[in-house]
Amino acid sequence: ADPLTVPQIARRLGVTRQNVQRIADLLVADSAARYAANPDHRTSPHLVLTPAGTAALARLTAAAERSHAALAARTDAGDLAALHHGLRRLLAAVGPTELPPRGRTRHNPGETP
């Protein structure tokens, strides 16, 4: 996958740039990531995992897969199918126009939500 900038990551996750920047800075401080030059934008570097960050992500991914498999083993397939169907219907009923703009998760003080 191509490296992303902090603003690109924030847009993809639907969170604020400041939130991603804070976490990115912590990852860099812990040597789990580094900033790399972005030929398309001098002031917005790419955030790239280091080998230590890649190893940590692999461990987290494996743990999540084990957890998901254990949960799936305890869950009835019919219940999962019904939940999936119900969530699809809910999303269709809400519709895209009723969702907040991507990346905006809360309102500003004094603003009507």
Side-chain angles (χ1 to χ4, degrees), residues 53-113:
T54 300
L57 179 60
R59 289 190 304 274
L60 288 169
T61 300
E65 287 172 352
R66 287 190 302 272
S67 177
H68 296 162
L71 178 60
R74 295 190 313 264
T75 307
D76 178 74
D79 290 342
L80 284 176
L83 176 61
H84 184 260
H85 178 73
L87 289 173
R88 290 252 180 222
R89 289 187 60 184
L90 177 63
L91 289 172
V94 170
T97 58
E98 295 181 38
L99 296 175
R102 192 159 173 81
R104 181 152 182 221
T105 56
R106 64 181 116 171
H107 68 279
N108 293 324
E111 178 184 44
T112 305

Side-chain angles (χ1 to χ4, degrees), residues 15 24 29 31-32 38 41 48 77 84-85 92 110:
V15 298
S31 299
N38 177 355
H41 199 289
V48 180
H84 184 260
H85 178 73

